[in-house]
């Protein structure tokens, strides 16, 4: 989903997040892991009606419960066999993705 958005670049997002997260997490996560987590973030947004074709107001502010998002990502990573991660680790990835989105004015 994210790669379909104008101005968004998956490779740039991964590089930005990799630069944003702490060193110990850089060593733990592959680029594929980061892409997987970002995909889950956008799956969460879509499942909550925050983005997608059926969203009426393009000017609406993206609001969500961060703890619910973190739970969603952690649960799916474990279920999909990607690994066991705690919410604090995933929080860095989510925050990095949100910061990247701000640099490309994705939600404005």
């Amino acid at each position: 989903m994210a790669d379909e958005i104008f101005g968004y670049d998956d490779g740039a997002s991964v590089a930005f997040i990799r630069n944003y997260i702490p060193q110990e997490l850089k060593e733990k996560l592959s680029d594929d892991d980061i892409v997987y987590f970002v995909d889950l973030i956008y799956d969460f947004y879509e499942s909550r009606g925050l983005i997608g074709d059926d969203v009426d107001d393009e000017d609406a502010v993206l609001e969500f419960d961060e703890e619910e998002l973190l739970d969603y990502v952690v649960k799916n990573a474990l279920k999909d066999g990607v690994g066991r991660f705690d919410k604090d680790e995933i929080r860095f990835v989510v925050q990095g993705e949100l910061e990247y989105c701000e640099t490309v004015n994705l939600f404005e």
Side-chain angles (χ1 to χ4, degrees):
M1 169 62 191
D3 58 345
E4 299 169 7
I5 302 171
F6 181 75
Y8 188 96
D9 180 273
D10 283 334
S13 168
V14 169
F16 188 95
I17 293 168
R18 185 158 289 290
N19 188 52
Y20 185 89
I21 60 179
Q23 184 62 38
E24 62 272 5
L25 198 52
K26 288 177 187 177
E27 295 169 5
K28 185 175 182 179
L29 299 179
S30 70
D31 287 355
D32 287 341
D33 291 335
I34 294 172
V35 169
Y36 171 80
F37 292 137
V38 169
D39 286 345
L40 281 179
I41 292 166
Y42 286 94
D43 288 347
F44 175 85
Y45 292 162
E46 283 188 61
S47 73
R48 300 310 186 270
L50 300 171
I51 62 171
D53 296 335
D54 56 343
V55 176
D56 295 332
D57 186 2
E58 291 182 10
D59 296 326
V61 177
L62 183 65
E63 293 183 20
F64 59 93
D65 181 335
E66 184 176 353
E67 292 302 312
E68 186 181 359
L69 169 60
L70 296 171
D71 289 339
Y72 179 86
V73 174
V74 168
K75 179 185 83 171
N76 280 286
L78 187 60
K79 180 185 79 160
D80 293 342
V82 174
R84 182 178 299 276
F85 298 91
D86 65 42
K87 291 195 309 188
D88 289 331
E89 292 172 320
I90 301 304
R91 189 180 320 273
F92 282 112
V93 176
V94 170
Q95 290 171 343
E97 175 61 15
L98 291 172
E99 289 290 326
Y100 172 73
C101 289
E102 280 190 28
T103 67
V104 296
N105 298 318
L106 186 62
F107 297 122
E108 294 187 10

